[in-house]
């Protein structure tokens, strides 16, 4: 195995970052971050309890007046400095992300970290572009304009599959708009969220603007979402947990943003470039070892191409190299934990009774036996209503199903509760354009699947949640819209008053 990034000294004071300082949690319980490639301990820390959440929210509340009063230019400058600090520390971030998640270092280095730096630079610009309707005399007797104001303390929860990027997606639009934030990362993967907050301090952001509490969902997470001083909650995770977050948030009338599960269809029409579609399917189904809400999970292939597609995808999957995440030749790392690996394996084993496992479907032995590895897996012959087609597996598993007519393919693609992402593969402009209209998903790619960019929104339909990450659409969600109206007449007894009292 390759060299391991040392984190124990860096977080010797604890894994809670409150009011600009690291400290230990007070729940009385500890958690160990495990390197999923080896099973080795990375860091053991004390989990946050409700008292830590209270302290973090109080720090954010104290920091809010000054931060929200800063000019857009001042907040923009701070975020530009943060982007520069992140770039300087990019190697540390990439290694920390790989050791806690098992991501191949090439993915952390070329996707997670530069994507986060780019997001930071984007929101540095967005801070200075507050959108609103032009000031004008819409009533004739008044001048109206719109103010966009910060809303207060945001309490957000980020998942374990993209810890750095998801932390940034929560933090950046919130603070760019003048809010302060308390973020709870997943207990499994807190390292880069904590490092992000420390980088913000290095960049000169005031203490209390960004706070990190690392604790269990049922204790720290639920207390954060229900806290009376938290005015908005943004959650990324499973649909089941998202429903619980919504129950707590709506009980206290909080603004709510949910980015939940996905089961993305990969729709291949019979005029598609077969080689492009096969390569795209392998990359899109295996990114982050399949632990991606937008990963291609259901490939619907029009019957004339179906068998050739299955054969080519299986051939390509068999070339994928599993190994040490820090080795330059590694394509696929382990899943985030042995528990997640076993969950994925359970789906595949149950599918053997009703479908065909074309390739994969097992954990490797040898030097990789101690890690949470699972081979790239292709399944065919499953029914539309089967578990592997309908449920989110969150692993390196792709299911292929045939379809005959375009109508049937689009109907099958939409036939799940989810609607986060989808792709359509065709050389016919009109066919592809129809797919972009009719696929019920927050993002639809044509002849590609997975790329994201800071300027465009990310978020879903249906059980995949609501609200957007990235882009100006996300920035606007973290602002309060206020209509301001000035009387221009200086008349005491206005004509409209007569509808309430008196005569004309």
């Amino acid at each position: 195995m390759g060299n391991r990034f040392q984190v124990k000294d860096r977080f010797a004071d604890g894994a809670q970052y409150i009011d600009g300082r690291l400290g230990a949690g007070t729940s009385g319980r500890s958690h160990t971050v495990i390197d999923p490639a080896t099973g080795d301990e990375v860091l053991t820390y004390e989990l946050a309890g409700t008292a830590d959440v209270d302290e973090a929210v109080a720090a954010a509340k104290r920091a809010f007046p000054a931060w929200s009063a800063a000019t857009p230019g001042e907040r923009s400058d701070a975020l530009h400095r943060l982007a520069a600090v992140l770039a300087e520390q990019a190697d540390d971030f990439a290694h920390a992300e790989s050791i806690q998640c098992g991501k191949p270092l090439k993915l952390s280095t070329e996707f997670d970290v530069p994507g986060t730096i780019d997001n930071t630079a984007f929101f540095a610009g967005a801070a200075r572009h507050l959108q609103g309707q032009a000031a004008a005399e819409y009533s004739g007797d008044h001048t109206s304009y719109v103010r966009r104001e910060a809303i207060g303390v945001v309490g957000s929860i980020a998942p374990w599959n993209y810890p750095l990027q998801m932390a940034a997606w929560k933090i950046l639009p919130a603070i760019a708009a003048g809010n302060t934030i308390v973020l709870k990362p997943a207990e499994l993967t807190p390292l880069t969220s904590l490092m992000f907050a420390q980088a913000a301090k290095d960049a000169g952001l005031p203490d209390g603007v960004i706070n990190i509490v690392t604790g269990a969902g049922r204790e720290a997470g639920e207390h954060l979402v229900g806290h009376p001083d938290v005015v908005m909650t943004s959650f990324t995770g499973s649909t089941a947990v998202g429903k619980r977050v919504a129950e707590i948030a709506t009980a206290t009338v909080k603004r709510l943003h949910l980015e939940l599960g996905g089961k993305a269809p990969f729709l291949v029409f019979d005029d598609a470039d077969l080689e492009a579609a096969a390569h795209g399917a392998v990359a899109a189904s295996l990114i982050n070892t399949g632990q991606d809400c937008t990963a291609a999970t259901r490939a619907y292939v029009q019957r004339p191409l179906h068998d050739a597609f299955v054969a080519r995808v299986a051939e390509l999957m068999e070339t994928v190299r599993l190994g040490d995440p820090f080795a330059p030749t590694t394509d696929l790392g382990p899943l985030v934990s042995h528990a997640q690996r076993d969950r994925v394996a359970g789906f595949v084993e149950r599918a053997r009774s009703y479908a065909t496992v074309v390739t994969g479907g097992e954990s490797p032995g040898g030097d990789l036996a101690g890690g949470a590895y699972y081979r790239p897996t292709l399944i065919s012959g499953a029914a539309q209503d089967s578990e592997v087609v309908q449920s989110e597996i969150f692993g390196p598993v792709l299911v292929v199903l045939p379809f005959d007519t375009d109508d049937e393919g689009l109907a099958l693609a939409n036939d799940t509760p989810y609607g986060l992402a989808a792709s359509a593969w065709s050389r016919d402009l009109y066919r592809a354009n129809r797919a972009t209209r009719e696929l019920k998903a927050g993002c639809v790619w044509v002849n590609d699947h997975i790329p994201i960019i800071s300027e465009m929104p990310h978020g879903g339909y249906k059980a995949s949640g609501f609200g957007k990450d990235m882009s100006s659409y996300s920035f606007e969600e973290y602002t309060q819209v206020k209509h301001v109206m000035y009387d221009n007449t200086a008349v005491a007894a206005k004509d409209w008053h007569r509808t309430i009292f008196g005569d004309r």
Side-chain angles (χ1 to χ4, degrees), residues 12 84 114 171 200 205 216 241 284 299 305 322 346 421 429 450 475-476 490 503-504:
I171 292 169
L205 272 77
V241 177
L305 289 185
L322 279 69
L429 173 63
I450 282 299
F475 178 67
E476 290 174 1
D503 300 318
R504 289 191 184 277

Side-chain angles (χ1 to χ4, degrees), residues 9-218:
D9 291 343
R10 182 157 190 165
F11 299 109
D13 293 331
Q16 316 303 324
Y17 188 85
I18 300 172
D19 207 14
R21 294 179 297 279
L22 284 172
T26 62
S27 70
R29 293 177 294 109
S30 63
H31 183 83
T32 300
V33 176
I34 298 294
D35 178 347
T38 63
D40 295 340
E41 175 190 341
V42 175
L43 176 71
T44 297
Y45 65 92
E46 299 300 316
L47 288 163
T50 56
D52 303 304
V53 174
D54 290 340
E55 183 183 353
V57 173
K61 188 176 180 180
R62 287 194 301 272
F64 175 74
W67 182 247
S68 62
T71 67
E74 289 168 339
R75 291 197 294 270
S76 176
D77 288 347
L79 291 178
H80 278 301
R81 294 195 302 271
L82 174 56
V85 172
L86 294 173
E88 291 168 3
Q89 300 177 10
D91 189 59
D92 283 352
F93 274 98
H95 280 77
E97 195 77 334
S98 287
I99 200 170
Q100 68 180 351
C101 299
K103 295 174 188 283
L105 187 61
K106 67 178 181 179
L107 181 65
S108 296
T109 301
E110 297 179 28
F111 182 73
D112 297 72
V113 174
T116 301
I117 295 169
D118 186 70
N119 265 262
T120 306
F122 172 83
F123 281 107
R128 303 185 79 148
H129 292 84
L130 300 175
Q131 300 298 315
Q133 200 156 351
E137 290 67 51
Y138 295 99
S139 78
D141 291 336
H142 307 82
T143 297
S144 288
Y145 65 89
V146 169
R147 291 180 55 88
R148 284 196 176 272
E149 299 178 347
I151 58 178
V153 177
V154 178
S156 294
I157 299 176
W160 49 257
N161 58 332
Y162 290 100
L164 176 60
Q165 288 206 78
M166 296 297 101
W169 286 12
K170 305 298 182 194
I171 292 169
L172 291 169
I175 66 173
N179 305 291
T180 55
I181 190 168
V182 178
L183 175 79
K184 192 198 88 64
E187 307 97 293
L188 291 173
T189 55
L191 304 182
T192 47
S193 298
L194 293 163
M195 292 168 64
F196 188 91
Q198 291 176 308
K201 184 179 179 73
D202 293 344
L205 272 77
D207 293 344
V209 171
I210 301 172
N211 306 275
I212 310 292
V213 290
T214 309
R218 289 196 176 275

Side-chain angles (χ1 to χ4, degrees), residues 271-361:
D271 67 329
D273 181 325
L274 177 62
E275 194 68 8
H279 278 81
V282 172
S285 62
L286 300 184
I287 185 172
N288 202 35
T289 319
Q291 299 165 126
D292 187 312
C293 296
T294 64
T297 60
R298 301 176 291 136
Y300 295 98
V301 184
Q302 206 149 24
R303 206 169 295 273
L305 289 185
H306 177 270
D307 292 352
F309 178 88
V310 170
R312 185 59 176 139
V313 168
E315 183 179 37
L316 290 171
M317 279 189 169
E318 289 164 5
T319 69
V320 172
R321 300 163 296 183
L322 279 69
D324 174 9
F326 291 89
T329 56
T330 293
D331 298 319
L332 197 73
L335 287 106
V336 74
S337 67
H338 287 78
Q340 181 65 13
R341 189 270 315 274
D342 293 345
R343 179 180 180 275
V344 170
F347 277 101
V348 177
E349 290 308 306
R350 291 189 295 273
R352 292 184 191 276
S353 66
Y354 57 80
T356 299
V357 178
V358 180
T359 190

